[in-house]
Amino acid sequence: MKNLLVSLVDLPAFEEIIDVRTPLEFADDHIPGAINAPVLSNEERVIVGTLYKQDPFAATKLGAGLVAKNIGVHLASTFKDKPQNWRPLIYCWRGGKRSGSMATWFNLIGWKARQLEGGYKAYRGQVLQLLETLPAASRFIVLAGHTGCGKTRLLHALAQNGAQTLDLEGLAKHRGSVLGSFPATSQPSQKSFDSLLIRHLAQFDPTRPVFVEAESKRVGQIQLPASLMLAIRAADCILVQARFEDRIRFLSDDYASLFDYPANFKTKLARLVETHGKVVLAHWNELIDAGQKAELFSELISKHYDPAYKRSSQSNYLRLADARPLLIDPSGDLNECARQLIVNLAA
């Protein structure tokens, strides 16, 4: 029904956005703020899709029955208390039969439901377009420096004191190093990360700087868009520094939970065997077993992180040589340090 179709620009006009795709599709990515009310379960979609290859008519008939049944379940539960003047927007993968069926039934009931033309595919296309253009609209300030120097601590302090910040590791749920996965947390899908990134970029005031940590083009399994890498690698830099003993302390605090799961910790370090050899890895495993945090992180800094830093894409940050140094002192007030940095950059 053409008169029920609306485009992405109409999203703000609706009280609720309903994603009728399967839970797996929804988990991979969805329009921000949408709720999931699937008209086919994960298993039902596979059954219908498999049958469609053999007999399209039979698959369509089966699918219609399943969709009708599931819409009825949602009407009796998820949407049972919605008022007559409720205005939902409904979408599926391409704006086809799944969302069209729910939109048609909702309008027959009396709700002013509409169907998103092009569905999630149209939204994903918009995200990809924005990924090409939005990074260039921000003026980034890059926090560069060796692993363990306190960059993330400073970034969080800047955010707490009113600065605009882009926490890529927070969005990616990964610290960006071989030990970087967050405890008991999986990374988002690439599509979901892209959606989160666009939401953050779109909120920035282009007249104010945006602080971001220096990153390689991958954060765990997440690929950062080329447009963002170009923008931050051409940005002004702050060279964050810390004394060697303070870096050991920072890493010991940040990665303390790894010692609670020694087998998993050793598995992570095992990825470095080609670089450092079996003898070094065996020694590091002994330090894990002995709970010797400071000794282990001292060796990781000197033998792995610092040499890797020299070889890394840090050299691709065009203005790193002119970066202003900033020493992070654990005994000092990091919030005051952040406030001073904000004032100095505004001067």
Side-chain angles (χ1 to χ4, degrees):
M1 298 176 69
K2 291 288 186 181
N3 61 324
L4 298 184
L5 294 175
V6 297
S7 66
L8 285 166
V9 298
D10 300 308
L11 257 64
F14 294 89
E15 300 169 47
E16 197 150 32
I17 303 173
I18 304 171
D19 185 326
V20 300
R21 299 176 302 155
T22 65
L24 280 175
E25 291 173 289
F26 183 81
D28 186 46
D29 187 35
H30 53 269
I31 294 177
I35 66 167
N36 190 210
V39 296
L40 289 175
S41 69
N42 298 325
E43 297 77 14
E44 288 168 343
R45 184 169 183 246
V46 171
I47 291 170
V48 173
T50 302
L51 179 60
Y52 191 86
K53 296 175 183 178
Q54 305 165 2
D55 188 337
F57 176 74
T60 301
K61 184 170 63 174
L62 173 63
L66 293 171
V67 167
K69 178 198 70 174
N70 290 328
I71 290 175
V73 171
H74 291 309
L75 287 172
S77 55
T78 309
F79 308 122
K80 66 177 181 179
D81 296 323
K82 298 299 181 182
Q84 187 173 349
N85 61 351
W86 182 47
R87 284 178 54 82
L89 176 65
I90 304 165
Y91 73 91
C92 57
W93 168 238
R94 286 183 296 189
K97 293 179 180 178
R98 287 186 287 176
S99 56
S101 297
M102 183 175 278
T104 298
W105 275 107
F106 279 16
N107 279 277
L108 288 172
I109 290 169
W111 289 321
K112 295 181 179 180
R114 294 294 181 266
Q115 181 185 9
L116 178 61
E117 187 170 17
Y120 169 80
K121 188 176 181 181
Y123 164 74
R124 177 64 181 166
Q126 183 187 69
V127 167
L128 293 176
Q129 289 178 354
L130 290 172
L131 284 175
E132 290 295 320
T133 58
L134 275 183
S138 293
R139 179 167 66 90
F140 291 105
I141 302 292
V142 175
L143 304 180
H146 289 85
T147 299
C149 67
K151 298 188 297 292
T152 302
R153 284 174 166 80
L154 178 59
L155 187 73
H156 292 169
L158 286 163
Q160 291 169 8
N161 286 277
Q164 295 189 135
T165 62
L166 180 60
D167 186 357
L168 293 170
E169 294 182 358
L171 294 180
K173 298 291 187 292
H174 198 283
R175 294 189 181 96
S177 69
V178 68
L179 303 178
S181 56
F182 285 15
T185 303
S186 58
Q187 288 195 265
S189 70
Q190 182 68 54
K191 291 178 181 178
S192 182
F193 173 84
D194 292 344
S195 289
L196 289 170
L197 179 59
I198 286 302
R199 289 180 68 184
H200 280 74
L201 290 172
Q203 294 171 0
F204 291 142
D205 178 350
T207 66
R208 299 169 55 211
V210 177
F211 293 91
V212 62
E213 285 188 64
E215 300 288 352
S216 62
K217 62 184 179 180
R218 295 190 72 88
V219 183
Q221 297 300 312
I222 295 297
Q223 179 86 30
L224 299 181
S227 55
L228 178 63
M229 296 307 299
L230 284 173
I232 64 176
R233 285 178 173 174
D236 291 328
C237 298
I238 302 293
L239 183 59
V240 184
Q241 300 174 327
R243 290 179 289 269
F244 189 81
E245 60 270 22
D246 292 330
R247 293 172 63 196
I248 294 172
R249 188 185 314 174
F250 288 154
L251 290 177
S252 296
D253 290 342
D254 292 343
Y255 294 108
S257 61
L258 291 176
F259 283 85
D260 296 332
Y261 306 95
N264 184 53
F265 194 176
K266 293 174 184 178
T267 299
K268 292 178 183 292
L269 287 180
R271 301 168 192 167
L272 304 178
V273 67
E274 290 187 8
T275 305
H276 300 286
K278 294 181 179 180
V279 173
V280 172
L281 264 293
H283 174 57
W284 287 349
N285 287 341
E286 291 174 359
L287 294 177
I288 291 173
D289 291 334
Q292 294 181 299
K293 297 183 179 70
E295 292 80 359
L296 176 61
F297 286 115
S298 175
E299 292 202 18
L300 284 173
I301 288 173
S302 59
K303 294 183 179 180
H304 176 69
Y305 284 124
D306 284 3
Y309 180 86
K310 293 179 181 179
R311 299 190 304 266
S312 74
S313 58
Q314 298 293 332
S315 58
N316 292 326
Y317 285 84
L318 303 180
R319 302 187 183 182
L320 185 58
D322 301 320
R324 179 189 311 181
L326 179 63
L327 180 68
I328 301 297
D329 186 348
S331 64
D333 185 342
L334 192 55
N335 283 314
E336 179 59 27
C337 178
R339 287 191 289 268
Q340 287 298 319
L341 181 55
I342 293 169
V343 170
N344 291 338
L345 288 173

